Short mmCIF file of all heavy atoms in Angstrom, two decimals:
data_model
loop_
_atom_site.label_atom_id
_atom_site.label_comp_id
_atom_site.label_asym_id
_atom_site.label_seq_id
_atom_site.Cartn_x
_atom_site.Cartn_y
_atom_site.Cartn_z
N MET V 218 183.35 121.38 90.86
CA MET V 218 184.15 122.56 90.71
C MET V 218 184.79 122.64 89.47
O MET V 218 185.32 121.57 89.02
CB MET V 218 185.17 122.64 91.97
CG MET V 218 184.48 122.55 93.29
SD MET V 218 183.36 123.86 93.63
CE MET V 218 183.00 123.42 95.35
N ALA V 219 184.82 123.82 89.01
CA ALA V 219 185.68 124.05 87.72
C ALA V 219 186.03 125.49 87.61
O ALA V 219 185.20 126.39 88.08
CB ALA V 219 184.94 123.61 86.51
N GLU V 220 187.00 125.83 86.76
CA GLU V 220 187.19 127.23 86.36
C GLU V 220 186.21 127.52 85.24
O GLU V 220 185.81 126.65 84.49
CB GLU V 220 188.66 127.43 85.78
CG GLU V 220 189.80 127.16 86.89
CD GLU V 220 191.05 127.31 86.33
OE1 GLU V 220 191.23 127.69 85.20
OE2 GLU V 220 192.07 127.02 87.04
N ALA V 221 185.70 128.81 85.23
CA ALA V 221 184.69 129.16 84.35
C ALA V 221 184.65 130.67 84.11
O ALA V 221 185.10 131.34 84.96
CB ALA V 221 183.38 128.65 84.83
N GLY V 222 184.11 131.01 83.00
CA GLY V 222 183.79 132.52 82.77
C GLY V 222 185.08 133.33 82.59
O GLY V 222 185.01 134.54 82.87
N LYS V 223 186.15 132.77 82.16
CA LYS V 223 187.39 133.56 82.04
C LYS V 223 187.72 133.87 80.67
O LYS V 223 188.65 134.63 80.40
CB LYS V 223 188.61 132.75 82.56
CG LYS V 223 188.42 132.41 84.07
CD LYS V 223 189.70 131.68 84.62
CE LYS V 223 189.62 131.54 86.14
NZ LYS V 223 190.83 130.81 86.69
N SER V 224 186.90 133.70 79.72
CA SER V 224 187.09 134.03 78.26
C SER V 224 185.68 134.06 77.68
O SER V 224 184.69 133.74 78.27
CB SER V 224 187.96 133.09 77.63
OG SER V 224 187.33 131.72 77.63
N GLU V 225 185.53 134.69 76.36
CA GLU V 225 184.40 134.75 75.75
C GLU V 225 183.84 133.31 75.52
O GLU V 225 184.52 132.29 75.40
CB GLU V 225 184.64 135.40 74.29
CG GLU V 225 185.02 136.78 74.39
CD GLU V 225 185.07 137.48 73.02
OE1 GLU V 225 184.69 136.79 72.06
OE2 GLU V 225 185.50 138.63 72.92
N ASN V 226 182.61 133.29 75.54
CA ASN V 226 181.79 131.96 75.38
C ASN V 226 180.44 132.18 74.81
O ASN V 226 180.05 133.44 74.51
CB ASN V 226 181.72 131.39 76.68
CG ASN V 226 180.71 132.13 77.70
OD1 ASN V 226 179.46 131.98 77.54
ND2 ASN V 226 181.27 133.03 78.43
N THR V 227 179.67 131.27 74.31
CA THR V 227 178.48 131.36 73.68
C THR V 227 177.28 131.35 74.56
O THR V 227 176.10 131.32 74.12
CB THR V 227 178.36 130.18 72.66
OG1 THR V 227 178.49 128.89 73.27
CG2 THR V 227 179.45 130.33 71.60
N ALA V 228 177.58 131.19 75.93
CA ALA V 228 176.35 131.20 76.92
C ALA V 228 175.96 132.59 77.20
O ALA V 228 174.85 132.95 77.04
CB ALA V 228 176.95 130.46 78.18
N TYR V 229 176.91 133.35 77.87
CA TYR V 229 176.51 134.77 78.25
C TYR V 229 177.76 135.52 78.51
O TYR V 229 178.77 134.92 78.56
CB TYR V 229 175.41 134.81 79.43
CG TYR V 229 175.99 134.22 80.70
CD1 TYR V 229 176.72 134.88 81.67
CD2 TYR V 229 175.76 132.83 80.99
CE1 TYR V 229 177.20 134.35 82.87
CE2 TYR V 229 176.18 132.28 82.25
CZ TYR V 229 177.00 133.05 83.05
OH TYR V 229 177.52 132.58 84.22
N ASP V 230 177.65 136.83 78.56
CA ASP V 230 178.78 137.73 78.70
C ASP V 230 179.29 137.83 80.13
O ASP V 230 178.61 137.82 81.12
CB ASP V 230 178.25 139.20 78.50
CG ASP V 230 179.44 140.24 78.55
OD1 ASP V 230 180.51 139.85 78.45
OD2 ASP V 230 179.04 141.38 78.79
N VAL V 231 180.63 137.55 80.20
CA VAL V 231 181.29 137.39 81.42
C VAL V 231 182.54 138.41 81.46
O VAL V 231 183.40 138.17 82.30
CB VAL V 231 181.82 136.00 81.74
CG1 VAL V 231 180.73 135.03 81.90
CG2 VAL V 231 182.76 135.45 80.58
N SER V 232 182.35 139.40 80.66
CA SER V 232 183.55 140.35 80.55
C SER V 232 183.74 141.16 81.75
O SER V 232 184.91 141.50 82.14
CB SER V 232 183.29 141.32 79.51
OG SER V 232 182.02 141.98 79.55
N ASP V 233 182.81 141.32 82.61
CA ASP V 233 182.87 142.08 83.90
C ASP V 233 182.67 141.14 85.20
O ASP V 233 182.53 141.64 86.24
CB ASP V 233 181.88 143.22 84.08
CG ASP V 233 182.13 144.27 83.00
OD1 ASP V 233 183.36 144.58 82.63
OD2 ASP V 233 181.14 144.87 82.50
N ALA V 234 182.86 139.90 84.97
CA ALA V 234 182.81 138.86 86.04
C ALA V 234 183.79 139.06 87.12
O ALA V 234 185.02 139.20 86.85
CB ALA V 234 182.79 137.46 85.49
N THR V 235 183.32 139.04 88.34
CA THR V 235 184.15 139.05 89.65
C THR V 235 184.25 137.57 90.10
O THR V 235 185.21 137.37 90.84
CB THR V 235 183.71 140.04 90.54
OG1 THR V 235 182.39 139.64 90.91
CG2 THR V 235 183.77 141.44 90.13
N VAL V 236 183.35 136.77 89.77
CA VAL V 236 183.28 135.37 90.15
C VAL V 236 183.74 134.62 88.84
O VAL V 236 182.98 134.70 87.81
CB VAL V 236 182.00 134.84 90.70
CG1 VAL V 236 181.91 133.31 90.80
CG2 VAL V 236 181.63 135.59 91.85
N THR V 237 184.86 133.87 88.85
CA THR V 237 185.32 133.20 87.73
C THR V 237 185.50 131.72 87.92
O THR V 237 186.65 131.09 87.45
CB THR V 237 186.63 133.80 87.24
OG1 THR V 237 187.62 133.84 88.33
CG2 THR V 237 186.41 135.20 86.74
N ASP V 238 184.65 131.16 88.82
CA ASP V 238 184.58 129.78 88.93
C ASP V 238 183.13 129.21 88.86
O ASP V 238 182.19 129.93 88.96
CB ASP V 238 185.12 129.41 90.36
CG ASP V 238 186.58 129.67 90.65
OD1 ASP V 238 187.45 129.05 89.99
OD2 ASP V 238 186.98 130.61 91.29
#
Side-chain angles (χ1 to χ4, degrees):
M218 305 296 185
E220 296 179 6
K223 295 186 176 181
S224 60
E225 289 187 12
N226 65 88
T227 59
Y229 59 88
D230 180 22
V231 294
S232 58
D233 294 325
T235 55
V236 175
T237 54
D238 292 293

